[in-house]
Amino acid sequence: MCEKCKGNFYITTPIYYPSSKLHIGHTYCTVATDAMARYKRLQGYNVMFLTGTDEHGQKIEDKARESGVTPQEFVDNIVMGERGVLDLWKLMNISNDRFIRTTDDYHVESIQKIFKMMYDNGDIYKGTYKGKYCKPCESFWTESQLVDGKCPDCGREVQDAEEEAYFFRLSKYADRVQDLLENTDFLEPRSRVNEMVNNFIKPGLEDLCVSRTSFTWGVPVDFDPGHVVYVWIDALFNYMTALGYQNDRHNELSQFWPADVHFVGKEIVRFHSIIWPAMLMSLNLPLPKKVFGHGWLLLDGGKMSKSKGNVVDPYILAERFGVDALRFFLLRSFPFGSDGNFSNEVLISTINTDLANDLGNLVSRTIAMAQKYFGEHLPAQQAENPEMDAELLAMVSDLRGKYEEQMEHFAFQNALAEIFKVISRANKYIDENAPWVLAKSEENKPRLAKVLYNLLETIRICAGLLKPFMPDTADEIGRRLGNPRMDWDSLGIFGVLPAEAAPVAGPVLFPRIDMEKELKELEELTKPQKTEPELPLAEAKPDIAFDEFEKVDMTVVKVLTCEKVKKSEKLLKFTLDDGTGEPRTILSGIAKYYQPEQLVGKTLVAVTNLAPRKMMGQLSCGMLLSAERGDQLHLLMLDDAIPAGSRLV
Ligand code: MSP
């Protein structure tokens, strides 16, 4: 640790699933962590801020297959591709010191060693996983994952099944974990403790299934091929492997472990406050000092999710309103520990009220007056008026303490509220002292100078404390004040700015936004893309034996002639070359989909051993195969190079 440092501080965000692009909800937690990391650096701590991506698991494997790429290519694109995770953190000015990907070699090796260590100490054992199995999807499900008793993916019937799997003795640690939750400050906010204890521990903690054999995109259990490590073991240990636990890629474990705080969303508190400490106990490792479960950003009262199509794109918001305004809005508008309802209206009105009106105006009015009345710099001769100044000065002098108290409890909203109370008070101070009146007489110039000095000094302290939230804005304000000290110590003292301060003006920091116009434009921009309506799936038929299927003759045929059947709206009459030398006639009810002339010469597939039947007085010998979904129908057309009479096998 360096001489001047206050100590080390290790803070983490959850590592993100790169199964789709990140939305404003993901951005929320990372911005909060960034603000905390910057605050701790400002205080003088030696900070390690870790974030990353959690890249294994069945979902990623499935998505990659759907996209026709390998799982590695799939995650690489979302993590490193254009507008991917790394781009987003760069745009949002995230100051992470390290970025871990669970597909990084060193992490994979460490996880294999960790799994083996828990196996060797007896806390991981081989058992049988009992559950429900969906044969077509090749997936295991637990009873609670089923939807109406059927496979949640395809809706088909599931069967009872058993699979060999490894288990972690979570039950063994139930008492110790309960004690940790109830009798220490390990988990915050406190309300989450009751939720964990009452919903998960008291009903009885069961051992946890920690390996899978139904997919391969994961860390292989090296001593038992075919098994991959459960993603949550893989994911949770990132907090330590990223520091060098069980690998020699990094070497900061003794410096930064145990972590000071893991920030996590409320739905993953269970993993972090029950499973994570239990696994660390199993390996006799020190526990993180704190897990803080934050609330969700909701949209219309519900969770944002890609599948609901209601995600908000942080790129659009940052590009339209600016990164600092977006960062500020996220932490100013919602209490970190509870849910908050996101809306464009709240976003715009927060920017207009706090940033354009209060902060922006204070900075531009004060600097404009200083320049107008004194030119290059304030005069050294300044006159106090204790009665007029006392309240503002007291508030500014107390600000750092109040802010610190809130920040230490991760109460970002309250910390910002303290700053904005001072900013409002400073705006009121301008009106009370009416510098434009003081400027009218030479005699009042020393008083005018002091009023402006007090305002500039207030701005310096507020900007310094805003820096963790709005780093670029704070730097810009610092530049306009003539680059005064803005270090932590200086933010606790009123009067650090030199008396002969020489502020410089600049463009409007936060232009006012026309709410109505902006809302309309945003609505246009974020309108969900028109997608094809979901077509209903026909019900699957019962299974048949292979020898039954084999009885069907499917033959390649060429269309010789095709015409409409008189008096029928539906039927087309085909004469077909089926390779036998004798033309075959088939009637097919597809007139609404095709014009007869379109089909002449095409190569199609017909079932040719179907018993002939009469339709509209004409004999049809067979059936043409087509694909149908909803109200769409397509004849199966083959490459014209395939000769008539070929059999489909
Ligand atoms: N990969 C796991 C975390 C493993 S940590 C060892 C995961 N990833 S995630 O991408 O699904 O979510 C990452 C974080 O984003 C979670 O903390 C989650 O709560 C947070 N958010 C996702 N949507 C959110 C909101 N709408 N609002 C706030 N945070 C939300 O879970």
Side-chain angles (χ1 to χ4, degrees), residues 13-18 22-29 53-54 232 235-239 263-268 272 294-298 302-304:
T13 67
I15 48 172
Y16 296 85
Y17 280 129
L22 302 188
H23 55 67
I24 195 75
H26 301 115
T27 311
Y28 178 54
C29 180
T53 42
D54 175 9
W232 272 101
L236 286 162
F237 271 100
N238 92 88
Y239 300 131
F263 276 180
V264 304
K266 63 177 185 179
E267 85 285 19
I268 58 172
H272 285 82
H294 66 78
W296 282 345
L297 274 197
L298 305 174
K303 196 179 180 216
M304 287 179 204

